[in-house]
Amino acid sequence: MQHTATSKPAFSTQLQAHLELADPITWVAAIAMVFCGALASSQGTPGFDPTNLNHLLLAGLAALMCGPLGTGFSQSINDYYDYELDAINDPGRPIPSGRLSLAAARANWIILGLSTMLIGIFLARYSLWIPIFALISLILSVLYSMPPIKLKQNFWFGPPAVGVGYILLTWLVGHMLFGPLTWPSVILALINSALAAGLLFLNDIKSVEGDRQLGLKSLTVALGVRQTLVVAYTIIDLCLVAMLVLALIGGYVWAAGFVALALVAPIPFQIRLFREPNHTNFKYFLLVNNPFVLLLEIFSAFIVGGYFG
């Protein structure tokens, strides 16, 4: 099935549609992970100095690579191959709404992907692993969205692939810009990657109808909405418990207290969403849960980097 627009939208409308295709809200996590990885690099090495303008600019360039470009590529190529699904779940998206043709959408993700690799090659002077991680992330995005593999068709592969591409690799890129990897940093990156996978399982409940119609084997299609919520809550909370244990082992009682708060505060919204799994309750849960998650990631990076003693 080929999508064609009935008339060519205005340039400003197309520009906005291209930006929407890259989904800027999704850039936040990748940008944050680059800076978290950079902060975590400072334990036992000169590492990242957040007061150094050159360091900030370098981390900012890596954040551009992983966020607007790399994550934008992932979102864009996903929309390109999922426009039929979006026509059911979210018909206002750029392609099904007719604001962008398939050819324009293809140009969008090609440019974003090439730009990602160009910056990765430039940053190879700091670590040869950086362009390799950038390439792996792009490949995961392609495999996630493109038939016939299309990892998102199966819940065993889709969310973990996103967790690795969006979180793990971006954290490692930020770290390796400024120093060799350390085990505490890698462990935190892995925990946050699993946390992202849990949040993605949760996100599946929004698109269950389209997934079911087009035969995508999401967790929600396989188990149902409420069972999916139980799985997602369990993964998210286990990741937070792991952070709590690590904070206590490290002697950071104040950090453990904050993690405990992050565990407890969303519970009323988890219950509310479980009882009435609708878009409004889903939004309320994310509004309460996600700021805690982001702050935990930042605090944990500061701790691993040795900024708090």
Side-chain angles (χ1 to χ4, degrees), residues 83-100:
Y83 74 91
E84 291 180 313
L85 179 65
D86 286 338
I88 300 170
N89 290 326
D90 192 359
R93 293 295 297 164
I95 302 173
S97 68
R99 287 177 290 146
L100 281 184

Side-chain angles (χ1 to χ4, degrees), residues 7 27-28 37 45 52 55 61 64 71 75 90 96 106 150 156 181 217 226 228 232 251 255:
S7 61
W27 306 346
V28 175
T45 68
N52 185 316
H55 283 197
L61 183 61
L64 172 65
T71 304
Q75 295 297 318
D90 192 359
R106 188 187 308 117
K150 204 173 180 71
W156 291 117
L181 289 177
K217 193 180 178 184
R226 287 186 171 85
T228 297

Side-chain angles (χ1 to χ4, degrees), residues 236-288:
I236 293 167
D237 290 347
L238 283 176
C239 290
L240 294 178
V241 168
M243 287 187 177
L244 176 63
V245 170
L246 290 174
L248 289 173
I249 291 174
Y252 296 97
V253 178
W254 66 269
F258 186 79
V259 178
L261 179 62
L263 271 166
V264 172
I267 288 177
F269 297 90
Q270 289 178 334
I271 295 172
R272 182 175 174 179
L273 180 58
F274 183 82
R275 287 176 176 170
E276 297 181 58
N278 55 49
H279 183 73
T280 299
N281 289 336
F282 178 78
K283 180 178 67 176
Y284 285 146
F285 170 74
L286 293 183
L287 285 173
V288 173

Side-chain angles (χ1 to χ4, degrees), residues 17 67 130 146 174 192 223 253 255 271 300 302:
I130 292 176
M146 182 184 291
N192 283 305
L223 300 181
V253 178
I271 295 172
S300 63
F302 271 110

Side-chain angles (χ1 to χ4, degrees), residues 59-130:
L61 183 61
L64 172 65
M65 179 186 77
C66 295
L69 300 178
T71 304
F73 169 86
S74 177
Q75 295 297 318
S76 179
I77 196 171
N78 185 63
D79 269 28
Y80 177 81
Y81 285 105
D82 271 6
Y83 74 91
E84 291 180 313
L85 179 65
D86 286 338
I88 300 170
N89 290 326
D90 192 359
R93 293 295 297 164
I95 302 173
S97 68
R99 287 177 290 146
L100 281 184
S101 66
L102 283 176
R106 188 187 308 117
N108 182 297
W109 55 260
I110 289 174
I111 291 170
L112 290 173
L114 289 174
S115 300
T116 300
M117 284 311 305
L118 284 174
I119 295 180
I121 292 168
F122 174 79
L123 294 177
R125 65 183 67 187
Y126 301 98
S127 171
L128 289 175
W129 282 104
I130 292 176

Side-chain angles (χ1 to χ4, degrees), residues 2 5 16 26 30 54 77 80 105 120 159 171 206 227-228 239 243 247 249 284 290 293 296:
Q2 178 72 21
Q16 182 179 352
T26 63
N54 289 334
I77 196 171
Y80 177 81
W171 181 297
K206 294 192 306 180
Q227 289 80 358
T228 297
C239 290
M243 287 187 177
I249 291 174
Y284 285 146
N290 287 5
V293 170
L296 278 174

Side-chain angles (χ1 to χ4, degrees), residues 170-251:
T170 53
W171 181 297
L172 298 183
V173 163
H175 188 125
M176 297 189 76
L177 270 176
F178 300 100
L181 289 177
T182 61
W183 276 113
S185 180
V186 172
I187 290 170
L188 265 181
L190 288 169
I191 291 173
N192 283 305
S193 179
L195 183 59
L199 288 169
L200 197 66
F201 281 131
L202 191 69
N203 194 59
D204 281 347
I205 69 173
K206 294 192 306 180
S207 56
V208 60
E209 187 57 38
D211 290 349
R212 186 179 290 118
Q213 288 185 32
L214 294 181
L216 296 182
K217 193 180 178 184
S218 68
L219 190 64
T220 312
V221 171
L223 300 181
V225 172
R226 287 186 171 85
Q227 289 80 358
T228 297
L229 289 173
V230 171
V231 172
Y233 292 161
T234 301
I235 294 172
I236 293 167
D237 290 347
L238 283 176
C239 290
L240 294 178
V241 168
M243 287 187 177
L244 176 63
V245 170
L246 290 174
L248 289 173
I249 291 174

